[in-house]
Amino acid sequence: AITAKSDCPEVEVPVPLFFTIGVVGLAENFLVVVAVICNRNLHSPMYCFICSLAAFNTIASLAKTWENLMLVFAGVGQLDQRGSSETKLDDVMDSLLCMSFVGSIFSFMAIAVDRYITIFHALRYHNIMTMRRTAAILGVIWTTCGVLAMLMVRFFDTIFIMTCFIIFFLISLVLIGCLYVYMFMLARIHARRIAALPTSGSGALTLTILFGAFVVCWAPFFLHLIIIMVCPLNPYCECYRSLFQLHVVLLMSHALIDPAIYAFRSAELRHTFRKMLLCSDWR
Amino acid sequence: MSDFHNQSQASARRSDYVWQYEYYDDEEPVSFEGLKAHRYSIVIGFWVGLAVFVIFMFFVLTLLTKTGAPHQENPEHAEKHHRPGSCLADNGSPQDENERAFSRPLLPESRSFFHFYISEEEQGQGKCKAEDQGGGAIQGQRARNRLGGVSSSGMEEMEEEGEESEERQPLQGLVDEGKSDRESAFLSHFNIPNFVNLEHSSTLGEDDLLLCEPSAMLGSQSRSQDAHRNIN
């Protein structure tokens, strides 16, 4: 057989870049988690969801960095790539990654719903979104993701899982998009009535950033999954697949920019960070 | 995930789609003969489509905003409504709305209202405007504090923002909101437009807990805050 010298060679991303993105993402998100847990002022539903998102991103960065480490060791020859324990570990890490992706999507949805309730059911917000319910929602999210992770470890080789994954992604994309656009449009009506809109383009920009980052970072990877299923032999599809590592880098960088979009927007959280990092009188 | 990729690429070539953990290169190379279009056409098409989508979304959202309020294209018009320096949005003309705000028993939930008026903090619309927004919210909040409509325990439930703890102190009067930390504390809770729905009738119906007329319930409450903000 002719050795496959494809016209679309796989684009390799240098390992240091992977490591940098992984470690920075890990540090950022872990800081967010610690900040939310330590600061009592941040024990509110919205921050709990942001903390959960950051926790999932931490897991994703951790798993990806660890996998990179293992690949580096395997490349150097320290690890046997086909050893059963290595493949099992690889399985575990891939499922951790999938679990954290699913979890972060769930967290996005929870944040969007929380914002929706904050705006449109403001007067009853504290009755609707009690801390107990928040804890219950987070429990459900984490349990689902844990179960999903275990299922994936077991049944990673079925195409059913991937199809579910993709459908889940598309549905949640549409849901989140609709929620935010709906909120935005109703906010526009309000703006019209008060006849003064000091921040005219900023809402649009924020929404675009929020949603755009989500789509730009996640869609390439999911298109990759779709293409694997749909047209594995097509040369065009193969050229798309050759960019796989770039798409994974995009996915990881989403874990990096998530805190900037969600968490660091809050002055209280930034204040907590400053306190933590500068080790000034904490508490 | 590159293992995943290897494995999936290898096994995707098989008709049974069974994924096994194997790390060899493709045995059946994909033929690149006779490609009509550029080989990266899917990639290019995808990214172009994505970029168009994002830009389109941005324009649609901006257009939605611009076709909203008639005044917003006139920055001086809005500007001169803000008292320079003082971030107390004034209680000028919407006096009756203020009255209504004050006469209403403050529900604990409405505290979260104030977060709506928090726009993204990087607004280049002028610090004063931002201060006014924050100030207006704070003022209204403090006014409510003063009314004693909210018990302190009610306030304690609302630990949404750390900056709220600052507002638990008893009101002396309308304090100056010139402090940037308080202003920035108010800004940024919400990343999306800080406007509350006025006319969503179902919401209004459910939340009809206040003394004002039902149709203006949420609207008036928010309007009173906005009136604080937007010194007309």
Side-chain angles (χ1 to χ4, degrees):
Chain A
I2 312 159
T3 46
K5 180 118 186 357
S6 164
D7 279 343
C8 288
E10 178 163 345
V11 171
E12 300 254 336
V13 172
V15 172
L17 182 63
F18 263 122
F19 268 121
T20 315
I21 294 184
V23 167
V24 172
L26 184 68
E28 258 189 348
N29 287 290
F30 186 65
L31 269 180
V32 171
V33 173
V34 167
V36 171
I37 290 179
C38 289
N39 187 351
R40 279 218 68 231
N41 291 332
L42 298 175
H43 288 183
S44 73
M46 173 175 149
Y47 282 111
C48 288
F49 291 133
I50 288 181
C51 177
S52 155
L53 176 68
F56 278 121
N57 284 334
T58 311
I59 294 178
S61 302
L62 192 66
K64 188 57 196 144
T65 311
W66 193 359
E67 189 167 16
N68 270 329
L69 216 58
M70 279 190 40
L71 281 176
V72 163
F73 281 147
V76 167
Q78 296 288 339
L79 282 179
D80 175 19
Q81 266 192 351
R82 305 192 195 185
S84 71
S85 64
E86 278 81 7
T87 49
K88 270 219 175 70
L89 206 51
D90 209 30
D91 263 341
V92 167
M93 285 191 297
D94 281 340
S95 359
L96 269 183
L97 271 170
C98 290
M99 162 187 138
S100 61
F101 293 158
V102 170
S104 58
I105 290 185
F106 273 137
S107 300
F108 288 141
M109 285 207 284
I111 291 175
V113 168
D114 178 67
R115 286 176 174 176
Y116 179 84
I117 297 179
T118 308
I119 291 185
F120 297 124
H121 298 271
L123 298 176
R124 296 184 309 148
Y125 175 77
H126 282 277
N127 289 332
I128 297 178
M129 193 67 86
T130 59
M131 279 307 282
R132 253 195 182 181
R133 281 209 189 130
T134 310
I137 292 173
L138 285 179
V140 164
I141 290 179
W142 280 82
T143 317
T144 314
C145 294
V147 165
L148 230 60
M150 286 194 287
L151 281 179
M152 281 183 189
V153 170
R154 273 287 278 125
F155 300 111
F156 208 55
D157 48 357
T158 56
I159 213 154
F160 174 69
I161 292 267
M162 212 164 56
T163 321
C164 285
F165 210 37
I166 292 171
I167 293 178
F168 171 69
F169 169 69
L170 291 172
I171 290 179
S172 50
L173 192 76
V174 166
L175 263 178
I176 295 177
C178 286
L179 257 180
Y180 274 119
V181 170
Y182 183 56
M183 286 195 273
F184 186 84
M185 282 175 54
L186 288 170
R188 169 186 72 99
I189 295 175
H190 172 87
R192 192 187 282 155
R193 296 188 101 259
I194 64 171
L197 187 52
T199 62
S200 60
S202 58
L205 186 64
T206 305
L207 255 189
T208 310
I209 290 176
L210 202 81
F211 210 58
F214 184 68
V215 170
V216 164
C217 291
W218 288 63
F221 178 73
F222 276 87
L223 186 60
H224 180 94
L225 292 182
I226 293 175
I227 275 183
I228 287 180
M229 290 197 305
V230 165
C231 61
L233 295 178
N234 192 318
Y236 298 111
C237 296
E238 159 137 9
C239 285
Y240 184 87
R241 282 206 314 267
S242 67
L243 301 177
F244 177 73
Q245 293 199 9
L246 282 178
H247 299 154
V248 174
V249 165
L250 262 181
L251 211 49
M252 287 171 67
S253 53
H254 186 64
L256 205 87
I257 63 181
D258 253 351
I261 297 178
Y262 285 93
F264 294 163
R265 290 281 195 135
S266 153
E268 176 67 19
L269 203 58
R270 288 201 304 263
H271 185 57
T272 313
F273 275 131
R274 250 175 267 138
K275 268 194 186 170
M276 274 168 41
L277 292 177
L278 302 179
C279 296
S280 53
D281 45 5
W282 183 232
R283 235 153 264 294
Chain B
M1 274 261 192
S2 39
D3 315 305
F4 175 91
H5 172 59
N6 283 340
Q7 133 204 327
S8 59
Q9 218 178 11
S11 48
R13 302 287 160 78
R14 302 180 185 170
S15 55
D16 55 358
Y17 284 105
V18 168
W19 290 6
Q20 288 145 24
Y21 242 77
E22 282 148 342
Y23 295 92
Y24 47 80
D25 282 343
D26 309 331
E27 285 179 339
E28 306 125 29
V30 171
S31 150
F32 277 90
E33 308 303 317
L35 285 187
K36 295 192 209 71
H38 189 262
R39 48 177 204 251
Y40 280 111
S41 46
I42 289 190
V43 180
I44 297 171
F46 171 74
W47 282 105
V48 166
L50 206 60
V52 163
F53 169 72
V54 172
I55 293 174
F56 170 72
M57 185 172 67
F58 177 67
F59 277 129
V60 163
L61 292 175
T62 314
L63 230 71
L64 282 182
T65 319
K66 284 211 185 303
T67 54
H71 294 284
Q72 76 198 52
E73 262 111 18
N74 193 350
E76 322 112 54
H77 178 76
E79 224 16 273
K80 68 183 186 239
H81 287 165
H82 296 271
R83 269 190 213 134
S86 150
C87 293
L88 267 197
D90 77 327
N91 319 332
S93 76
Q95 195 64 13
D96 43 23
E97 284 167 316
N98 282 346
E99 239 76 75
R100 265 184 293 171
F102 283 61
S103 62
R104 233 172 273 141
L106 175 64
L107 302 163
E109 296 90 347
S110 62
R111 192 125 180 253
S112 59
F113 241 55
F114 300 104
H115 301 308
F116 310 148
Y117 303 102
I118 296 164
S119 64
E120 314 80 53
E121 67 267 24
E122 291 94 45
Q123 291 331 306
Q125 296 285 334
K127 196 167 193 280
C128 194
K129 257 186 217 169
E131 287 174 352
D132 280 340
Q133 285 177 22
I138 298 174
Q139 173 202 349
Q141 195 170 357
R142 290 221 167 108
R144 291 172 176 200
N145 271 339
R146 218 179 335 144
L147 285 180
V150 176
S151 65
S152 57
S153 61
M155 287 305 201
E156 259 135 30
E157 289 166 36
M158 301 175 253
E159 302 177 288
E160 304 218 340
E161 301 281 349
E163 58 270 21
E164 290 173 331
S165 56
E166 297 178 315
E167 278 83 58
R168 288 180 198 157
Q169 293 141 27
L171 262 193
Q172 310 311 325
L174 301 167
V175 187
D176 82 297
E177 271 66 14
K179 306 199 174 146
S180 59
D181 58 337
R182 205 172 301 156
E183 162 226 333
S184 60
F186 262 98
L187 305 174
S188 82
H189 177 93
F190 245 56
N191 299 338
I192 70 171
N194 49 343
F195 300 111
V196 182
N197 159 45
L198 280 185
E199 301 295 357
H200 199 226
S201 50
S202 63
T203 312
L204 291 175
E206 290 154 13
D207 295 322
D208 188 358
L209 304 164
L210 307 175
L211 304 172
C212 299
E213 64 271 18
S215 64
M217 202 69 55
L218 261 162
S220 59
Q221 203 170 20
S222 55
R223 226 179 295 137
S224 67
Q225 303 311 320
D226 292 322
H228 295 318
R229 268 193 298 140
N230 312 301
I231 304 168
N232 47 356

